DNA sequence: TACAATGACACA
DNA sequence: TACGTGTGTCATTGTA
């Protein structure tokens, strides 16, 4: 087992304290104060890459960057994983809360998420965000809460489950390190190309901020003319529905798929207006000024921000960037982008989770849907994909019934797995991912609705089925997130092994099942090899002995848009 | 006037 | 063809 060091930066200045720890988390000798924490860390890292134990990346890693830690135990990220696993959903998760529970003190409630933004305005990575009581020693709290987290982990009864949970905590912590690094490095962003794209589609950038770009203004006028000439605001759903109704076209919404079925010139104009208006509002010049400056887009990732373990982002909408804007993501001169995504990740995860021998065979290599179609759907890949996705998401409508029946007959273990997860959810139970991330329990409202006799009929049934779809999907989505996190951790370590200087390849983007690495052009092929190796490493770590393969489709490009 | 709810759509 | 999971963000509209 790697040695462990607790790590607490001084509130001001470059110094900090280190505390070597024993395997059970107990202190090994007295704490050491380092006048330069960065220098002390580099020295310890060079001697053998310990696991650094700290309160949170915000308080202990981001301020130290570009200092690099190879391994960590992030108390802030591990606490909610443990609380969830222990069935203590919703209890405060700050360091101060965990400390207070240990000491029998009043437990502080968590600060609202918005507090993070306020701290940054003050330029503080404030220790008070840790929620420790006044006078408490942060190092003492870090050491004690860490030891307690190790003890709680060791209390997981089943050895295999305990082993996987340890992997989960390590992978989540590695994700925290990486998220901080990516926020600092940023995604290469060519504002000139972004500007060119916006100008092509919307017209020149408005001189007066807040005014409508030319193309949007033109479309507004064309829309009004084609709907009788009366002025209306195309951004107002109500006014749009009324304008169409006056032409005898009665819509139930302004959704673009509904508009697409309308045979009237205004429908097409409306769809175009909505597309461009969204681009302008969500990723236009204002977005660029706020988020993509100095040649880099710097989103703030929120590790574990989604209950399934997927990451979220705060500000900038990094996980919702429209594909068209990938044209602005271009490698620096002499560098390349290695873009890799896991092919058909979720059905492969289902095959590995359920150990369905037949489905595993179709997921052993190549195109999973193609193989599924060949064995069960007379070669119809479309049907194979629709059926499998429907099974994983709990779809019931449409013409999916016969497809599900086929799947149930051919792949009983896989279908049984998702259906058992759905039944657990409908009954109010909880499910876990492969590595042990736990889904939230039902809310009090849900229990009222499903258990009260007066609503046990229709409304209760609807709620129960909705929760069944959630838990059915959770086991797959969350286990896919387990795998992706293991991939990230492995890839991060492997990239550090390629080069550590100014030309080090580094991850610049991560979106659920896709990674982008920015690398010197002459290292790009080796990076692509490391991606494949990391995927294989993640497969073994998370799923152990399974015939299922997790192939990555990888491209080395100058521009993100050229990857697919 | 400020905030919440709604509808819509971007991503996986 | 418009279905079934999870998000974040925007503009409009309604409410406190």
């Amino acid at each position: 087992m790697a040695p462990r060091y607790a790590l607490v930066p001084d509130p001001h200045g470059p110094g900090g304290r280190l505390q070597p720890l024993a395997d059970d988390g107990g202190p090994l000798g007295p704490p050491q104060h380092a006048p330069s924490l960065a220098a002390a860390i580099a020295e310890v890292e060079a001697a053998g890459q310990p696991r650094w134990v700290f309160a949170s990346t915000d308080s202990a890693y981001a301020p130290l960057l570009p200092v690099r830690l190879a391994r960590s135990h992030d108390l802030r990220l591990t606490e909610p994983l443990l609380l969830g696993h222990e069935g203590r959903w919703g209890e405060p998760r700050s360091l101060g809360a965990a400390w207070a529970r240990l000491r029998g003190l009043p437990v502080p409630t968590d600060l609202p998420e918005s507090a993070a933004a306020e701290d940054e305005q003050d330029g503080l990575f404030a220790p008070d965000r840790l929620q420790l009581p006044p006078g408490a020693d942060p190092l003492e709290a870090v050491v004690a809460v860490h030891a307690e987290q190790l003890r709680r982990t060791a209390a997981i009864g089943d050895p295999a489950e305990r082993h996987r949970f340890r992997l989960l905590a390590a992978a989540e912590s590695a994700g925290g390190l990486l998220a901080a690094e990516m926020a600092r490095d940023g995604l290469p962003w060519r504002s000139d190309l972004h500007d060119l794209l916006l100008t092509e589609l919307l017209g020149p950038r408005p001189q007066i901020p807040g005014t409508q770009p030319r193309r949007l203004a033109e479309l507004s006028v064309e829309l009004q003319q084609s709907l009788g000439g009366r002025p209306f605001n195309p951004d107002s759903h109500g006014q749009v529905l009324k304008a169409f109704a006056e032409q005898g076209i009665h819509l139930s919404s302004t959704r673009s798929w509904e508009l697409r079925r309308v045979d009237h010139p205004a429908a097409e104009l409306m769809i175009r207006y909505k597309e461009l208006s969204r681009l302008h509002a969500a990723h236009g010049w204002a977005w660029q000024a706020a988020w993509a400056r100095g040649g880099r887009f710097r989103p703030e990732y929120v590790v574990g921000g989604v209950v399934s373990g997927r990451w979220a982002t705060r500000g900038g909408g990094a996980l919702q960037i429209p594909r068209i804007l990938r044209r602005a993501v271009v490698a620096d001169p002499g560098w390349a982008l290695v873009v890799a995504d896991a092919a058909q990740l979720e059905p492969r995860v289902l095959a590995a989770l359920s150990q369905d021998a037949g489905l595993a065979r179709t997921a052993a290599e190549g195109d999973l849907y193609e193989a599924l179609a060949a064995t069960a759907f007379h070669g119809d890949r479309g049907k194979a994909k629709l059926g499998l996705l429907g099974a994983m998401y709990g779809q019931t409508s449409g013409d999916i019934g016969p497809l599900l029946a086929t799947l149930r007959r051919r792949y009983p273990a896989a279908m049984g797995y998702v259906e058992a997860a759905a039944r657990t959810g409908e009954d109010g139970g909880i499910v876990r991912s492969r590595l042990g991330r736990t889904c939230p329990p039902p809310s009090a409202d849900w229990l009222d609705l499903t258990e009260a006799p007066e609503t046990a009929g229709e409304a209760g049934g609807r709620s129960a089925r909705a929760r069944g779809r959630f838990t059915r999907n959770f086991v797959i989505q969350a286990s896919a997130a387990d795998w992706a996190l293991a991939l990230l951790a492995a890839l991060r370590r492997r990239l550090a092994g390629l080069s550590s200087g100014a030309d080090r390849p580094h991850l610049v983007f991560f979106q659920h099942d896709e990674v982008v690495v920015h690398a010197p052009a002459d290292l790009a092929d080796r990076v692509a090899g490391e991606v494949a190796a990391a995927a294989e490493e993640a497969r073994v770590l998370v799923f152990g002995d399974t015939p299922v393969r997790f192939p990555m489709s990888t491209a080395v490009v100058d521009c993100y848009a050229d990857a697919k």
Side-chain angles (χ1 to χ4, degrees):
Chain A
M1 201 197 255
R4 292 177 180 245
Y5 276 81
L7 168 64
V8 173
D10 292 340
H12 305 286
R17 286 179 293 165
L18 308 183
Q19 165 76 69
L21 299 173
D23 282 357
D24 66 354
L28 276 180
Q32 308 153 9
H33 185 266
S36 162
L37 201 48
I41 287 170
E43 199 177 311
V44 176
E45 276 282 325
Q49 302 198 335
R51 194 169 291 283
W52 296 97
V53 178
F54 53 68
S56 67
T57 55
D58 278 355
S59 66
Y61 190 46
L64 287 172
L65 284 169
V67 164
R68 218 194 108 85
L69 305 181
R71 290 193 278 203
S72 68
H73 177 108
D74 187 319
L75 297 172
R76 176 64 181 77
L77 292 176
T78 303
E79 188 65 23
L81 295 175
L82 273 168
L83 289 172
H85 200 274
E86 294 162 340
R88 301 162 63 192
W89 196 268
E91 287 190 36
R93 48 192 55 184
S94 67
L95 179 70
W99 169 255
R101 283 191 289 263
L102 264 179
R103 292 296 165 109
L105 302 169
V107 176
T109 53
D110 286 341
L111 293 169
E113 281 301 315
S114 57
E118 286 164 28
D119 279 359
E120 273 190 61
Q121 276 176 0
D122 296 342
L124 296 172
F125 292 97
D128 46 280
R129 276 214 77 206
L130 304 176
Q131 297 277 76
L132 284 170
D137 176 17
L139 181 62
E140 198 183 328
V142 164
V143 170
V145 169
H146 171 245
E148 177 68 0
Q149 287 189 352
L150 292 183
R151 193 198 58 73
R152 289 156 70 194
T153 304
I156 295 172
D158 178 67
E161 196 182 344
R162 184 164 66 232
H163 172 70
R164 290 199 298 265
F165 188 89
R166 286 186 173 132
L167 272 176
L168 178 63
E172 189 89 335
S173 298
L177 297 177
L178 180 61
E181 291 160 7
M182 288 204 295
R184 185 172 183 278
D185 290 334
L187 178 69
W189 192 272
R190 283 274 301 273
S191 288
D192 56 330
L193 295 179
H194 182 199
D195 193 71
L196 202 64
L197 185 76
L198 293 176
T199 303
E200 269 172 30
L201 294 169
L202 298 166
R205 178 180 195 155
Q207 291 305 302
I208 304 152
T211 54
Q212 221 178 20
R214 192 180 66 206
R215 187 68 194 119
L216 283 179
E218 288 168 0
L219 275 169
S220 295
V221 173
E222 290 171 42
L223 260 170
Q224 285 166 16
Q225 285 168 349
S226 81
L227 286 173
R230 213 138 18 129
F232 69 96
N233 178 359
D235 287 319
S236 162
H237 307 128
Q239 292 181 34
V240 169
L241 293 181
K242 211 163 125 222
F244 273 91
E246 281 166 5
Q247 304 303 305
I249 300 164
H250 297 276
L251 301 166
S252 60
S253 76
T254 66
R255 293 192 184 109
S256 52
W257 60 259
E258 191 172 351
L259 285 166
R260 252 184 270 280
R261 292 188 307 193
V262 173
D263 183 23
H264 188 284
E268 205 174 312
L269 290 168
M270 193 63 223
I271 291 167
R272 190 68 185 143
Y273 177 89
K274 280 151 66 86
E275 283 171 358
L276 293 179
S277 157
R278 180 175 175 80
L279 178 67
H280 177 242
H283 294 98
W285 288 284
W287 177 90
Q288 184 182 100
W291 294 103
R293 296 211 298 238
R296 292 291 187 268
F297 166 40
R298 290 193 172 77
E300 190 184 340
Y301 292 97
V302 185
V303 175
V306 180
V307 289
S308 65
R310 283 183 168 184
W311 291 13
T313 56
R314 202 165 19 225
L319 302 183
Q320 288 87 31
I321 300 231
R323 297 182 80 92
I324 190 170
L325 284 191
R326 293 182 180 187
R327 276 167 60 180
V329 180
V330 179
D332 290 349
W335 289 59
L337 297 173
V338 181
V339 180
D341 74 289
Q344 306 143 352
L345 178 57
E346 296 197 343
R348 289 175 194 281
V349 165
L350 172 58
L353 277 178
S354 64
Q355 302 182 287
D356 186 294
L359 192 59
R361 265 196 301 280
T362 71
E365 53 192 303
D367 184 312
L368 183 143
Y369 297 126
E370 200 72 62
L372 189 66
T375 36
F377 290 95
H378 309 293
D380 189 335
R381 187 180 184 278
K383 275 189 180 173
K385 181 173 179 178
L386 204 66
L388 198 49
L389 290 176
M392 291 190 296
Y393 295 154
Q395 183 180 351
T396 51
S397 61
D399 295 329
I400 199 166
L403 305 182
L404 293 180
T406 302
L407 286 170
R408 236 175 256 123
R409 199 170 59 247
R410 301 294 292 254
Y411 307 106
M415 294 304 113
Y417 191 90
V418 287
E419 276 159 21
R423 271 197 306 277
T424 301
E426 286 173 14
D427 293 344
I430 53 116
V431 294
R432 300 187 207 279
S433 74
R434 170 72 181 170
L435 292 186
R437 193 185 303 268
T438 307
C439 83
S443 66
D445 285 352
W446 186 91
L447 291 171
D448 285 349
L449 209 54
T450 52
E451 284 170 5
E454 63 273 19
T455 52
E458 198 160 337
R462 243 197 324 275
S463 295
R465 283 190 299 278
R467 185 169 156 79
R469 286 192 297 275
F470 167 63
T471 50
R472 172 195 294 262
N473 187 247
F474 182 95
V475 292
I476 297 173
Q477 192 183 107
S479 300
D482 289 347
W483 177 87
L485 210 49
L487 166 87
L488 282 181
L491 183 56
R492 175 176 178 271
R493 192 193 70 241
R494 288 167 174 274
L495 292 180
L498 285 182
S499 163
S500 56
D503 66 339
R504 70 193 165 89
H506 51 284
L507 276 147
V508 288
F509 194 56
F510 168 55
Q511 187 176 31
H512 312 315
D513 61 359
E514 179 175 14
V515 295
V516 179
V517 178
H518 193 214
D522 58 347
L523 286 179
D525 288 337
R526 289 177 64 192
V527 168
E530 298 295 356
V531 170
E536 175 63 8
E537 199 179 321
R539 173 185 78 84
V540 175
L541 272 177
V542 176
F543 295 109
D545 182 25
T546 173
V548 178
R549 288 296 178 273
F550 293 87
M552 304 292 290
S553 109
T554 304
V556 177
V557 292
D558 284 326
C559 175
Y560 192 8
D562 297 335
K564 236 193 319 196

